[in-house]
Amino acid sequence: MQSKPVGWFEIYVQDMSRAKAFYEAVFPFQLEKLESPDPGFEMWSFPGPMDDSNGASGALVKMAGVPSGVGGTVVYFMCKDCATEAGKVAASGGQVAKAKFSIGKYGYAALVIDTEGNMIGLHSMQ
């Protein structure tokens, strides 16, 4: 059995409370605090098993000297209808960079910017 190609992702933030509130308001899940021996390193994990099952686990990360913001990588969150989550973004302190659009037989996507300046993708089949 082949392992998933992406095993972990991190979304860097500057204000953990604000970022955590954004993700918990836009998506139907709660983040879980991960313990760290370094007091300057704070992580809150997205739900899901941290094993070799399908999909990738990840976390919001606040680390000194590591900036947040739009870069070359976009993490896509799976949604039933990406327009639903995109509709919650502005009220949660983010902004919609590109509203729901068709990607042909692969479904639909939307691009949004979180409260820390990170661009994330939303993907759905409807």
Side-chain angles (χ1 to χ4, degrees), residues 1-8 51-56:
M1 181 172 190
Q2 185 177 14
S3 296
K4 57 190 171 190
V6 176
W8 183 258
D51 58 16
D52 201 24
S53 61
N54 293 330

Side-chain angles (χ1 to χ4, degrees), residues 14-35:
Q14 301 305 308
D15 183 326
M16 184 60 79
S17 296
R18 179 177 65 193
K20 184 174 176 292
F22 173 84
Y23 283 90
E24 290 181 340
V26 171
F27 297 105
F29 53 68
Q30 299 293 302
L31 299 171
E32 179 182 332
K33 184 159 180 61
L34 297 179
E35 297 303 319

Side-chain angles (χ1 to χ4, degrees), residues 41-59:
F41 190 71
E42 183 178 1
M43 296 179 76
W44 286 81
S45 176
F46 291 91
M50 292 204 194
D51 58 16
D52 201 24
S53 61
N54 293 330
S57 298

Side-chain angles (χ1 to χ4, degrees), residues 104-123:
K105 68 179 183 178
Y106 304 107
Y108 298 88
L111 296 171
V112 303
I113 299 173
D114 73 8
T115 55
E116 307 306 295
N118 296 302
M119 181 175 289
I120 60 170
L122 307 173
H123 177 265

Side-chain angles (χ1 to χ4, degrees), residues 11-14 66-73 113-114 116-119:
I11 300 173
Y12 292 99
V13 306
Q14 301 305 308
V66 179
S68 57
V70 176
T73 302
I113 299 173
D114 73 8
E116 307 306 295
N118 296 302
M119 181 175 289

